[in-house]
Amino acid sequence: MTQKIRDVMTAGPVTVPRLCSVRDAARFMRDSAIGDVLVADGNELYGLLTDRDLVVRVLADGKDPDSTNAGDVCSAELVTVAPGDDVRQAVDLMRQHGLRRLPVVEDGRAVGVVSLGDLALDRDPESALADISVADPNT
């Protein structure tokens, strides 16, 4: 039986407005114990902002985290999947594009994120990546 994205994705993604400051976006990440937030422009998915983006595109460039908007530093050219897509498709897209996360979009709305960790947990729950993925980041 073919497994679908909806079976492995993390549902209910944290989304911030495009004009949200990166400091506030970072606080959402911290408070939710996650490494990324989706960036929206109204009801449309605009981009993906990761903790790495904050380091490379904000801190390393000396930008002010209070006056820099999430939409200015997020990855806006997104590769996405749908909940009904085959998990194999996500694996292939991640490999092809060198991605660690894919937004899951249905009817133009973000409904989840599928990550390398999600796939590791599903495919090999005993793997080192699966162990790391379920570890509490606050310990």
Side-chain angles (χ1 to χ4, degrees):
M1 177 158 115
T2 304
Q3 195 165 26
K4 302 297 181 188
I5 297 294
R6 73 174 54 84
D7 300 325
V8 298
M9 73 180 195
T10 300
V14 175
T15 304
V16 299
R18 184 177 61 81
L19 298 178
C20 174
S21 75
V22 294
R23 182 180 307 278
D24 287 340
R27 287 180 178 142
F28 280 115
M29 288 182 206
R30 177 198 63 200
D31 295 347
S32 301
I34 54 176
D36 64 273
V37 293
L38 296 177
V39 179
D41 190 8
N43 291 327
E44 297 284 320
L45 179 60
Y46 181 83
L48 176 72
L49 181 67
T50 68
D51 45 8
R52 184 177 189 282
D53 293 330
L54 296 175
V55 171
V56 173
R57 297 177 181 168
V58 179
L59 293 176
D61 284 348
K63 293 180 180 169
D64 177 11
D66 291 310
S67 63
T68 303
N69 296 324
D72 294 336
V73 293
C74 70
S75 298
E77 292 185 25
L78 295 176
V79 177
T80 64
V81 291
D85 288 347
D86 186 278
V87 167
R88 183 85 209 140
Q89 182 178 355
V91 171
D92 291 345
L93 286 169
M94 290 172 139
R95 185 176 289 131
Q96 178 183 355
H97 296 280
L99 301 172
R100 294 185 168 103
R101 301 168 179 95
L102 292 173
V104 182
V105 178
E106 185 171 46
D107 298 325
R109 225 174 40 89
V111 295
V113 174
V114 63
S115 70
L116 280 179
D118 295 328
L119 296 172
L121 280 170
D122 177 68
R123 293 193 167 212
D124 187 2
E126 302 301 317
S127 71
L129 182 55
D131 285 346
I132 293 165
S133 296
V134 297
D136 182 353
N138 297 315
T139 58

